[in-house]
């Protein structure tokens, strides 16, 4: 089968063996996959796949069930599904644990469904599981125009929160506003704490979803409400920060740092099942929709990586697999 492989640090379309679904797995005929920053790191040799998982890049995909492994129940050949992956999405076929599948709503094309799993489940993990975002709370999302940022805004609103989203690009503020969040365009020094305090009448942010990391740490603590929670899920702004424990203690704060990819299959299955129950009706009603910046053929994966690396995207970049169903 065709797949994107690394050859001398270049992403090229090559031939690899087709996977065979093991017990509890299905074989997915991939119609589309989507690009994530973890893919960029993997391409540079800095974020390898977990042991026992496909070394091919791609953390999410949508397509049609092509075959069932031993012991699979609840899915049939021909079902339209989207999948959370630990790897393998940049290929014509991928073996997926059945617990990591979600049905694609009838009104949603597969190429758009490919942009759902990683972004939405990363946001769901942070907002529902780790921080317990509650109705009426203030949610601050960094990198608000990213795939995860826009998904988190929709999920945060669905959970009854007021949402603020930061960006360094004034051109992206409109997309954040369209998602239902209030945009905050950062100044050259990346300050935002005073604005968050002002917009919340001095209360501060109850929950901060941080896709940036160290660069925002000091300002995060400065704008955190009493009892506030910070969930760090990205480190594009650095991994090392000086921590004022006294400030965190004074705020009675909780900090979590999480990675979706390295969680166990059982954990992912529970997360997927929980999210699917909550999100299914919202997908059908159009309240929750993936944000796709561009669709490119699989062989242009290198170009897709370049768009993401240049921070030139709003939402996700999707890679289309030629010859697969995309309806």
């Amino acid at each position: 089968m065709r797949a994107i492989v690394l050859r001398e640090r270049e992403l090229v379309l090559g031939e690899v063996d087709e996977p065979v679904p093991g017990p509890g797995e299905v074989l997915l005929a991939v119609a589309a996959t989507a690009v994530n920053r973890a893919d960029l790191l993997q391409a540079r040799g800095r974020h390898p796949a977990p042991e026992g998982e496909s070394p091919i890049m791609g953390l999410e995909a949508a397509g049609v069930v092509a075959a069932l492994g031993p012991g699979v129940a609840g899915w049939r050949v021909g079902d339209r599904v989207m999948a959370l992956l630990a790897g393998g999405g940049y290929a014509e076929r991928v073996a997926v644990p059945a617990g990591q599948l979600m049905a694609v709503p009838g009104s949603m094309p597969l190429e758009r469904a490919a942009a759902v799993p990683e972004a939405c489940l990363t946001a769901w993990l942070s907002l529902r599981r780790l921080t317990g975002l509650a109705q009426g709370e203030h949610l601050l999302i960094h990198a608000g125009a990213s795939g995860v940022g826009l998904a988190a805004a929709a999920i945060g609103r669905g959970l009854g929160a007021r949402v603020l989203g930061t960006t360094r690009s004034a051109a992206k503020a409109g997309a954040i506003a369209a998602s239902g969040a209030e945009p905050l365009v950062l100044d050259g020094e990346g300050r935002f704490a005073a604005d968050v305090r002002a917009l919340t009448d001095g209360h501060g942010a109850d929950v901060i979803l941080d896709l940036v990391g160290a660069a925002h740490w000091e300002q995060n603590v400065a704008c955190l409400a009493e009892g506030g929670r910070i969930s760090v899920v990205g480190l594009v702004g650095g991994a090392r920060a000086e921590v004022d424990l006294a400030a965190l203690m004074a705020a009675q704060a909780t900090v979590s740092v999480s990675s979706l990819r390295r969680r166990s299959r059982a954990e992912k299955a529970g997360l997927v099942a929980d999210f699917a129950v909550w999100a299914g009706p919202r997908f059908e009603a159009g309240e929750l929709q993936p944000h796709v910046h561009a669709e490119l053929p699989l062989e242009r994966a290198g170009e897709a990586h370049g768009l993401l690396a240049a921070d030139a995207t709003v939402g996700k970049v999707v890679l289309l697999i030629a010859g697969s169903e995309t309806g």
Side-chain angles (χ1 to χ4, degrees):
M1 69 172 185
R2 297 179 308 145
I4 292 294
V5 296
L6 272 172
R7 290 181 183 162
E8 298 180 355
R9 291 189 173 272
E10 294 291 327
L11 302 181
V12 298
L13 194 61
E15 289 288 333
V16 300
D17 292 336
E18 184 171 304
V20 177
E25 296 182 335
V26 308
L27 183 66
L28 180 64
V30 179
T33 185
V35 179
N36 292 278
R37 288 197 176 273
D39 301 335
L40 276 61
L41 294 174
Q42 185 172 341
R44 298 169 190 157
R46 294 169 51 194
H47 191 58
E51 185 176 354
E53 301 291 355
S54 172
I56 295 170
M57 284 171 283
L59 301 181
E60 56 195 335
V64 175
V65 175
L68 305 178
V72 172
W75 298 103
R76 298 178 301 175
V77 171
D79 283 346
R80 299 169 74 249
V81 297
M82 46 190 167
L84 179 68
L85 309 172
Y90 288 22
E92 291 181 312
R93 300 284 189 275
V94 62
V96 187
Q100 293 170 215
L101 298 177
M102 293 180 285
V104 174
S107 60
M108 186 182 294
L110 291 177
E111 60 266 26
R112 294 187 62 80
V116 168
E118 181 71 15
C120 285
L121 289 166
T122 296
W124 185 253
L125 171 64
S126 283
L127 302 183
R128 189 68 162 186
R129 292 284 184 90
L130 300 180
T131 66
L133 180 68
Q135 185 169 351
E137 290 193 313
H138 300 285
L139 167 64
L140 176 64
I141 302 169
H142 293 311
S146 66
V148 174
L150 293 170
I155 292 170
R157 292 195 331 274
L159 293 173
R162 177 187 178 189
V163 184
L164 310 176
T166 68
T167 179
R168 290 185 177 274
S169 169
K172 295 183 179 182
I176 294 173
S179 76
E182 299 170 51
L184 291 177
V185 180
L186 303 186
D187 61 24
E189 297 182 14
R191 294 172 297 194
F192 54 84
D195 288 336
V196 172
R197 290 284 182 191
L199 286 168
T200 60
D201 296 324
H203 178 81
D206 297 291
V207 171
I208 299 175
L209 178 59
D210 188 359
L211 288 83
V212 175
H216 282 349
W217 178 259
E218 184 177 349
Q219 290 284 294
N220 279 345
V221 176
C223 74
L224 197 62
E226 184 174 354
R229 293 87 74 198
I230 301 173
S231 178
V232 180
V233 296
L235 300 174
V236 295
R240 293 181 177 271
E242 183 174 326
V243 178
D244 184 345
L245 293 176
L248 290 176
M249 187 177 293
Q252 299 293 304
T254 301
V255 179
S256 61
V257 181
S258 64
S259 170
L260 182 57
R261 186 180 195 183
R262 304 212 171 257
R263 291 179 180 267
S264 70
R265 291 186 172 191
E267 286 181 290
K268 291 176 181 176
L271 188 69
V272 167
D274 185 33
F275 175 71
V277 170
W278 181 86
R282 290 168 171 82
F283 280 128
E284 292 287 358
E287 298 171 9
L288 188 61
Q289 290 293 322
H291 294 262
V292 176
H293 178 86
E295 297 176 1
L296 299 173
L298 182 63
E299 57 267 28
R300 291 170 63 184
E303 181 181 339
H305 278 214
L307 286 172
L308 198 59
D311 197 25
T313 58
V314 173
K316 304 295 290 283
V317 177
V318 168
L319 296 174
L320 306 177
I321 314 297
S324 296
E325 178 192 339
T326 56

